[in-house]
Amino acid sequence: MSLFGKSKSQSFLGIDVGVHGMKLVEMQNEHGRAKLMTYAYSERGLEEQSKSLLDNPQVAANLLSTIVKKSGATTTRAVSGLPQNAVFSAIVTVPKLKDPRQMKPLIEGQVAKLTPIPVTEMILDSKVIDEEKLKTPEEKKEEKKAPPVDPKKGELVRVLVTGAAKTLVQKYVEVFKLAKIELVALETESFALIRALVGRDRSTILIIDMGAMRTNMTIVERGIPIFTRSVNVGGGQLTKTIAEQMGISLADAEQMKVDLSKGQVDGVPPQVELILQPILTEINYSFGEFKRLEADSAKRVEKIIITGGSANLPGMVTYLSQKLNINTYVGDPWARVQLPQALRPVLDEIGPRFAVSIGLAMRDME
């Protein structure tokens, strides 16, 4: 689901603009499968991460131009992702009409009740999420012949609506224009993560994307993000905690965190458990809301996939598995990508940080 744009390019860039910096992946469509061509990233210091790169379009554009050039990318066509905490996402129920265009004002009417931003100031995208595959071919044929449904009565359908403020979208457009990169599409990070980490898996899955400043949670059912949640806790908080407890600089604390993630540690270090507590609270809240939305108390998440820059923190997988009694894994965004096996150890290490950009680059290869 993208807020604008279609591309028929055989090779394109997935560019993730985050508070931690920028991440870029170039993928080529190799007989219907993504092939890694190149990748690059830039990082910002923890003290810089309180301000968005998008607040200074020229600086962001210069940085984007630099990493594209240094990566040796062969295309300037790109897909970028909108941060989950800045995107409106909701499921609304509307009458099912034969002409989808007639449903648009009904959907917008529902959205207007849920968002503080006027609908006229947003770019919206919608997708009917009721399972079509459960219907037989004969039922689908009869459905096409059926007369239009009266909006006041008749069959209702659930619609997933995502949207973003036009002002935010314009910031992306300006940055990419200044960088002379063709922005062919913008989509939400949750869809990029589903593409990279879930693929065709129809299970009910919780994706936890733990970044520098925020942790985003998405419950996915049949490949659709049914419920999203974001909390102001991330790897940056762990860095600050280590610095404060040990009386060292943020740079040294960040390096210690990196060393910690690479080492063999029994159990969960207290600093890691400290930042996992609020995340665990939000996960349990998300589970409750998901059951409420589904109106089925027996419905439950079947597995958890962790990704993001802090996905490899020691003890996270074991901790969440035990606390929630759900199988938990670190996601592998390279699983559906052709790549040089000689680079696999390096790519495995950086993979969780690149999950969004990988999913963005794979957008037209579904």
Side-chain angles (χ1 to χ4, degrees):
M1 178 178 286
S2 62
L3 297 180
F4 70 84
K6 296 288 184 183
S7 171
K8 295 182 179 179
S9 169
Q10 291 298 302
S11 177
F12 42 92
L13 305 172
I15 299 176
D16 178 16
V17 181
V19 297
H20 197 269
M22 289 187 183
K23 289 171 278 291
L24 171 153
V25 171
E26 181 183 4
M27 296 287 189
Q28 180 175 300
N29 192 334
E30 190 89 351
H31 306 297
R33 188 180 179 191
K35 179 181 179 180
L36 176 65
M37 304 302 291
T38 188
Y39 68 94
Y41 63 94
S42 67
E43 292 186 339
R44 305 168 77 200
L46 195 62
E47 62 281 351
E48 301 176 278
Q49 294 174 17
S50 60
K51 296 181 180 179
S52 171
L53 273 168
L54 298 172
D55 291 340
N56 193 326
Q58 189 60 65
V59 171
N62 291 343
L63 179 58
L64 178 56
S65 296
T66 299
I67 66 170
V68 170
K69 184 177 180 180
K70 289 187 175 181
S71 73
T74 62
T75 182
T76 57
R77 291 180 287 256
V79 180
S80 192
L82 294 164
Q84 185 167 302
N85 63 297
V87 174
F88 168 81
S89 179
I91 294 174
V92 300
T93 302
V94 296
K96 183 176 182 179
L97 305 179
K98 195 168 184 179
D99 185 352
R101 291 173 295 184
Q102 294 179 342
M103 294 169 63
K104 183 178 179 181
L106 302 178
I107 293 170
E108 291 181 349
Q110 294 283 5
V111 171
K113 301 173 186 177
L114 301 173
T115 174
I117 305 175
V119 173
T120 54
E121 297 177 13
M122 299 179 69
I123 295 177
L124 296 176
D125 197 11
S126 60
K127 178 182 179 66
V128 176
I129 62 173
D130 287 313
E131 183 59 76
E132 293 292 328
K133 292 181 180 179
L134 296 179
K135 299 175 182 177
T136 66
E138 290 73 21
E139 288 173 329
K140 291 181 180 179
K141 286 181 182 178
E142 290 301 317
E143 188 179 65
K144 291 180 180 179
K145 296 177 184 177
V149 177
D150 185 339
K152 296 181 181 179
K153 56 186 176 181
E155 183 183 355
L156 298 175
V157 292
R158 294 184 307 158
V159 180
L160 172 66
V161 185
T162 56
K166 291 179 180 178
T167 51
L168 175 62
V169 172
Q170 186 54 43
K171 287 182 179 181
Y172 280 85
V173 172
E174 184 178 1
V175 168
F176 279 75
K177 184 177 181 180
L178 288 170
K180 295 182 171 55
I181 303 297
E182 181 186 355
L183 183 60
V184 298
L186 268 176
E187 71 172 5
T188 62
E189 290 180 349
S190 58
F191 273 94
L193 289 172
I194 291 169
R195 191 176 299 118
L197 300 172
V198 175
R200 299 183 184 278
D201 190 337
R202 301 292 91 178
S203 304
T204 303
I205 300 169
L206 170 65
I207 299 176
I208 302 175
D209 182 15
M210 193 171 179
M213 306 300 290
R214 304 186 68 85
T215 295
N216 298 319
M217 287 156 276
T218 303
I219 296 179
V220 183
E221 186 177 26
R222 301 193 305 267
I224 299 295
I226 298 296
F227 183 83
T228 59
R229 187 81 173 167
S230 187
V231 59
N232 290 320
V233 178
Q237 184 173 331
L238 175 58
T239 303
K240 290 179 180 178
T241 299
I242 294 173
E244 291 169 0
Q245 290 183 351
M246 303 194 68
I248 58 178
S249 68
L250 288 174
D252 288 342
E254 182 67 22
Q255 184 59 51
M256 184 172 289
K257 187 179 74 174
V258 172
D259 295 340
L260 190 67
S261 66
K262 292 179 179 179
Q264 298 295 322
V265 180
D266 293 328
V268 182
Q271 300 94 335
V272 175
E273 187 168 2
L274 181 66
I275 66 168
L276 286 179
Q277 284 298 326
I279 294 174
L280 190 64
T281 299
E282 291 298 324
I283 291 173
N284 284 315
Y285 172 82
S286 299
F287 287 171
E289 288 298 293
F290 171 65
K291 288 183 179 180
R292 183 183 64 81
L293 285 171
E294 293 295 307
D296 183 357
S297 59
K299 183 85 71 173
R300 69 187 299 271
V301 168
E302 299 168 61
K303 67 180 76 169
I304 297 173
I305 297 176
I306 309 175
T307 192
S310 300
N312 289 321
L313 288 175
M316 276 191 66
V317 168
T318 302
Y319 180 85
L320 292 176
S321 294
Q322 292 176 346
K323 291 290 184 180
L324 300 168
N325 194 29
I326 300 174
N327 289 332
T328 304
Y329 313 89
V330 174
D332 178 11
W334 304 112
R336 299 165 187 83
V337 179
Q338 297 183 51
L339 46 84
Q341 288 305 307
L343 291 178
R344 187 79 205 205
V346 174
L347 295 177
D348 283 344
E349 185 177 332
I350 66 172
R353 287 185 288 165
F354 275 77
V356 170
S357 53
I358 291 168
L360 294 170
M362 295 170 64
R363 176 178 170 271
D364 284 355
M365 299 180 193
E366 293 182 294

